[in-house]
Amino acid sequence: MLGKSHGRATHCPLPWADLGIHLPCVKVLHVTSEEATSRLLVNYPEPYRSQILDYLFKPNFGASLHILKVEIGGDGQTTDGTEPSHMHYALDENYFRGYEWWLMKEAKKRNPNITLIGLPWSFPGWLGKGFDWPYVNLQLTAYYVVTWIVGAKRYHDLDIDYIGIWNERSYNANYIKILRKMLNSQGLQRVKIIASDNLWESISAAMLLDAELFKVVDVIGAHYPGTHSVKDARLTGKKLWSSEDFSTLNSDTGAGCWGRILNQNYVNGYMTSTIAWNLVASYYEQLPYGRCGLMTAQEPWSGHYVVESPVWVSAHTTQFTQPGWYYLKTVGHLEKGGSYVALTDGLGNLTIIIETMSHKHSKCIRPFLPYFNVSQQFATFVLKGSFSEIPELQVWYTKLGKTSERFLFKQLDSLWLLDSNGSFTLKLQEDELFTLTTLTTGRKGSYLPPPKSQRFPSTYKDDFNVDYPFFSEAPNFADQTGVFEYFTNMEDPGEHHFTLRQVLNQRPITWAADASNTISIIGDYNWTNLTIKCDVYIETPDTGGVFIAGRVNKGGILIRSARGIFFWIFANGSYRVTGDLAGWIIYALGHVEVTAKTWYTLTLTIKGRFASGMLNDKSLWTDIPVNFPKNGWAAIGTHSFEFAQFDNFHVEATH
């Protein structure tokens, strides 16, 4: 296949000259669910939750994703929250925590052929033996990761296909080798290893110098490569993946970024897979990287969601290729900007994807994008060899930009090639995507519009009275440091039999700057005036402490610097009111009759520039001036990594 621009041969040829096929590597589109970014999705009511999942995973419907990558929950903050580990402690195993198991099963239900990847960000603290480091005991960390893979199969019938090392952090060559041996010892030879989910340079150079490391790494994965790889990575001959990319607001500019890199990661860098972080923006929007998912579903209380343009940009590739398809040898840049790729299944099917994304409308959040120009052009393509006999190509079209010209994944009239000797010419303008394909299965799936957007309810209550919870976490609470889980309190058969418990008493091996306190946020970031009431139970004598808070203004990787109004009580018989989570800004403090192992009711009222607090419905402090912040979430938490329980949470808010 030839275009007006100059194609070029790829670097690992196959002996199929008549088809022009040259790369024996699968072309797959990966999209990842990572870092607590689907936290709110599990709480969506039906049918909206299933509709969202269909737009993401159902073949020939929406994004039609080929691969799902999930975080192996490690109890630590990983950008927008924490995800619980399957092993909080050495002798503790539970394969029903968090939502990732559910998400993988839902993806598999829609696409039985979907490929599954797991990658750790943080690790539970016990693996570090007192150090903030997962490589203290290599066998122990490998054991921990392998138990997750084995548990996925044993408890959920999920086959994990690929496993990573440590997201965007140091790799350890000996650990990778031990991980491979331990996988093999468990009969998991089919599970492949990706390394190192950071930069190209270090891992690829090490592989060229270390024959054993070279043998055990199946895929080199780099993050945000800017569509380029490096010589050492290419010299390995291994599959090259952009194993995290995108992270860009899901506007049309974000869709332009996505469309450009899906093509050019291969054209420029030989990457046969591109992973978008993140799958679905299903977390509070004011957390870091708000709305940086392929679609938006951040209102389970209303059922509202938005199928954003990156979903349909994905469909241009995913609906018309499959894992196992091959790139043709002529891929490249168009003369006046843009790029094209072509793929085949080796059985006569052909898919050509063309993008003309402009510089202005396709900037990703990172890295820096050097200037380039795209202008109107005509591109002529000639199908040769066995493709010259193709009579018809289906045409799918996207135009991003001005509303008056905008189309998303629209099917145009077919191209008929019987009298053209396999030749056709397209008029191409800025910010367009074309898919030309022999496949007739493409579809722009749709449902009736979801409910309209609504703010988080101004009155919200949760008594946590769930005997057999489907998910380990309570709806709408988003843990930012620590892990808050449903708990059955066997010591209290009465009102506090079912509670929400903070279950970590040890700091995890961190990926981000977790706070020294544990905290879970909830509600509407725009809340200004509110009353928060919650029953609390300190489990740690002498040193334990808990808080409720309002107007909490930061979360995610910024959680350490969160401001707000925090009302604390401590087991040593004191209380404190602070203007920040870290406890540096002290508004008030004093003594109070409080001990561990007793239930208390805390009430925090914030109105305008003043805040007041009650203990067991009796006033404890009143009218403390609070000028900053003006708004934020409600929250609960503990003074340190310690066990504590919460019950009968209640918020009354006015904006």
Side-chain angles (χ1 to χ4, degrees), residues 374-569:
V374 177
S375 56
Q376 180 179 305
Q377 59 192 304
F378 291 89
T380 298
F381 295 82
V382 181
L383 306 185
K384 293 192 171 183
S386 57
F387 293 140
S388 64
E389 299 175 11
I390 291 174
E392 177 188 3
L393 289 172
Q394 309 290 313
V395 182
W396 290 84
Y397 174 68
T398 287
K399 170 72 172 178
L400 301 171
K402 297 177 184 174
T403 306
S404 59
E405 303 172 352
R406 190 171 180 265
F407 293 101
L408 292 175
F409 201 57
K410 179 182 181 182
Q411 187 167 19
L412 305 182
D413 291 339
S414 296
L415 270 175
W416 291 93
L417 305 172
L418 286 173
D419 301 323
S420 67
N421 296 318
S423 173
F424 60 91
T425 299
L426 294 178
K427 180 182 179 182
L428 305 174
Q429 303 188 73
E430 285 186 16
D431 300 317
E432 291 182 332
L433 265 170
F434 281 93
T435 297
L436 311 160
T437 182
T438 55
L439 298 183
T440 58
T441 50
R443 178 186 170 200
K444 187 173 185 181
S446 65
Y447 288 109
L448 292 173
K452 291 183 178 179
S453 174
Q454 294 179 22
R455 302 183 84 156
F456 194 96
S458 56
T459 298
Y460 187 82
K461 297 180 180 181
D462 196 336
D463 59 14
F464 312 116
N465 290 351
V466 184
D467 200 350
Y468 296 101
F470 193 59
F471 296 104
S472 60
E473 299 152 296
N476 303 318
F477 280 92
D479 303 347
Q480 301 302 307
T481 295
V483 173
F484 295 73
E485 296 179 351
Y486 282 120
F487 181 65
T488 303
N489 189 350
M490 304 308 293
E491 297 175 5
D492 188 336
E495 182 185 3
H496 301 298
H497 185 56
F498 297 111
T499 65
L500 192 69
R501 189 187 196 209
Q502 200 294 117
V503 297
L504 301 187
N505 67 0
Q506 187 176 14
R507 187 180 184 84
I509 296 171
T510 57
W511 181 85
D514 295 42
S516 299
N517 333 84
T518 74
I519 177 172
S520 188
I521 61 170
I522 189 170
D524 188 333
Y525 187 80
N526 294 307
W527 277 346
T528 296
N529 300 323
L530 68 163
T531 296
I532 306 160
K533 190 172 185 177
C534 188
D535 298 340
V536 299
Y537 184 87
I538 303 168
E539 295 190 37
T540 306
D542 301 326
T543 60
V546 299
F547 69 82
I548 63 174
R551 294 188 187 174
V552 178
N553 72 342
K554 289 181 184 176
I557 50 177
L558 307 174
I559 189 61
R560 286 180 73 89
S561 59
R563 296 283 302 272
I565 298 93
F566 295 81
F567 176 17
W568 313 71
I569 58 169

Side-chain angles (χ1 to χ4, degrees), residues 189-309:
Q189 290 87 349
R190 59 171 184 75
V191 179
K192 296 181 171 64
I193 291 177
I194 307 172
S196 67
D197 283 297
N198 202 343
L199 303 175
W200 296 116
E201 286 80 359
S202 179
I203 186 68
S204 54
M207 288 169 63
L208 292 172
L209 294 171
D210 183 336
E212 187 182 354
L213 182 64
F214 179 90
K215 185 178 179 182
V216 300
V217 174
D218 300 281
V219 176
I220 302 177
H223 286 196
Y224 307 97
T227 75
H228 294 279
S229 54
V230 300
K231 184 178 179 181
D232 279 353
R234 297 191 293 271
L235 282 173
T236 65
K238 298 283 186 176
K239 293 177 184 177
L240 308 183
W241 289 1
S242 175
S243 55
E244 186 177 316
D245 223 322
F246 183 58
S247 293
T248 301
L249 185 71
N250 55 25
S251 61
D252 275 11
T253 297
C257 150
W258 187 227
R260 178 176 54 79
I261 65 177
L262 280 177
N263 265 21
Q264 294 195 27
N265 274 348
Y266 181 75
V267 172
N268 299 335
Y270 304 100
M271 288 164 263
T272 55
S273 183
T274 296
I275 296 178
W277 185 87
N278 55 67
L279 174 74
V280 53
S282 205
Y283 48 102
Y284 290 114
E285 185 170 341
Q286 295 82 6
L287 287 167
Y289 302 97
R291 275 191 54 204
C292 287
L294 296 184
M295 62 181 290
T296 303
Q298 57 193 20
E299 292 185 23
W301 47 88
S302 72
H304 179 74
Y305 63 85
V306 184
V307 185
E308 310 281 8
S309 45

Side-chain angles (χ1 to χ4, degrees), residues 134-189:
Y135 303 130
V136 174
N137 184 322
L138 303 182
Q139 284 82 5
L140 194 60
T141 298
Y143 167 77
Y144 167 80
V145 170
V146 171
T147 59
W148 184 85
I149 298 171
V150 171
K153 181 64 174 178
R154 180 177 298 161
Y155 295 99
H156 302 285
D157 197 27
L158 292 167
D159 291 309
I160 305 302
D161 299 287
Y162 292 86
I163 197 73
I165 307 305
W166 189 13
N167 182 71
E168 294 178 359
R169 296 293 181 264
S170 301
Y171 68 88
N172 179 296
N174 289 329
Y175 166 73
I176 298 173
K177 297 169 189 176
I178 288 169
L179 178 62
R180 178 73 272 163
K181 288 176 183 174
M182 197 171 291
L183 287 167
N184 293 350
S185 73
Q186 294 296 313
L188 296 168
Q189 290 87 349

Side-chain angles (χ1 to χ4, degrees), residues 32-45:
T32 163
S33 162
E34 301 163 348
E35 305 167 1
T37 56
S38 302
R39 175 66 192 93
L40 298 176
L41 179 60
V42 298
N43 308 133
Y44 262 79

